[in-house]
Amino acid sequence: MLYNPFKSLKKQEWMLWVISLIVVSASILLSPNLHIPTLAASLVGVTALIFVARGDVWGQILTVVFAILYSITSLEFHYYGEMITYLGMTAPIALISVFTWLKNPYAKGRNEVKIARLSLKQKIWMIILSLLVTFVFYFILKAFNTPNLFFSTVSILTSFLAVYLSLFRSSFYAIAYSLNDIVLIILWILASKENPAYTPMIFCFVMFFVNDIYGFFSWKIRE
C-alpha cells in the first residue's frame, strides 16, 4: 500500500524541493519560447528525485512519468540517444524498480526501501551489460546521425549504470545519476548554442545534479 510521500519529507527536503521547482520554473517561464513538455518534465523530474533520495517508491513512479516527458523534448532536438534511453531503458527499469522496492521495504507500512549492497555476481553483470549496452547503442545512435555522438554515448553508459544500481537498491545509484547529470548539462549546453530555447534544460539538470548529490548522502546516512 502506498502512502502520502509528502508527510515524511524533512525540512531540508522541503527546502531543496521548493528551490528546485523555483529554479527550473523560472528558467523555463523566462525563456523566449515557453515549452510545456520541458516545463512538465523538469517539475516532475525534480519531484521524483526528492522522493528517490528518501528511498521512497513514489520516486520511481514519477521517474517513469519524467522519462516519457523528457523523451519528447529529446526527440525535438534529435537527441535520439536520450529518447531511446529514457523510453527504452529508464522508464521500463524504473517501472520494474517500483515492484522491487515495494517488495523490499525498510519497515512495514512505509514507502521507504531497504538499502542493499551489490553482490559480486551483480557487479560482474553490471560491467558486462553496461559495456554491451553502450557498444550496441553507439552504432544505433550513429545510424540516426545523433548530434554530439560521443556525449550521447557516454550518457547511455551513465544512465544504464544509474538505473541498474537503482534497481538493486544501491546507494551508488546517485553517483551514477550525478555523472549522467554532468553529461546532460554538456549536451544541453551544446544544444542551446544552436537553439537558445533549450537553455532551460541546463538549469534543469544543474538542479538534478544537486538533488542527486543530496540523494547519495541521504542514502549513505540511512545505510
Side-chain angles (χ1 to χ4, degrees), residues 2 52 55-64 89-105 111-114 160-170 173 177 219:
L2 296 175
V52 172
D56 194 311
V57 70
W58 276 105
Q60 294 294 348
I61 295 172
L62 290 174
T63 297
V64 176
M89 184 173 68
T90 302
I93 296 181
L95 185 59
I96 296 172
S97 296
V98 171
F99 297 100
T100 60
W101 283 28
L102 285 173
K103 287 183 178 180
N104 296 276
N111 296 342
E112 187 178 334
V113 70
K114 182 179 180 181
F160 178 81
L161 290 173
V163 293
Y164 184 95
L165 292 167
S166 181
L167 175 64
F168 290 104
R169 300 174 286 118
S170 168
Y173 87 91
Y177 267 126
W219 276 54

Side-chain angles (χ1 to χ4, degrees), residues 141-216:
L141 300 183
K142 188 175 182 180
F144 278 102
N145 294 316
T146 304
N148 306 306
L149 181 59
F150 173 77
F151 288 111
S152 292
T153 305
V154 174
S155 178
I156 295 288
L157 172 61
T158 53
S159 293
F160 178 81
L161 290 173
V163 293
Y164 184 95
L165 292 167
S166 181
L167 175 64
F168 290 104
R169 300 174 286 118
S170 168
S171 57
F172 287 97
Y173 87 91
I175 295 298
Y177 267 126
S178 298
L179 294 174
N180 184 241
D181 294 334
I182 294 173
V183 175
L184 293 178
I185 289 170
I186 295 172
L187 277 174
W188 289 109
I189 287 175
L190 296 173
S192 64
K193 288 183 178 180
E194 297 186 30
N195 187 346
Y198 293 107
T199 301
M201 293 305 298
I202 301 172
F203 292 93
C204 172
F205 283 105
V206 167
M207 295 313 303
F208 276 33
F209 177 78
V210 173
N211 278 272
D212 283 324
I213 292 298
Y214 172 78
F216 176 70

Side-chain angles (χ1 to χ4, degrees), residues 3-22:
Y3 298 87
N4 182 357
F6 289 97
K7 288 184 178 180
S8 58
L9 287 182
K10 299 177 182 178
K11 184 181 295 183
Q12 68 268 23
E13 291 166 342
W14 276 105
M15 186 179 300
L16 178 57
W17 181 54
V18 171
I19 291 174
S20 298
L21 292 178
I22 292 173

Side-chain angles (χ1 to χ4, degrees), residues 110-121:
R110 297 182 64 176
N111 296 342
E112 187 178 334
V113 70
K114 182 179 180 181
I115 298 173
R117 295 188 178 184
L118 294 184
S119 65
L120 178 60
K121 182 178 179 180

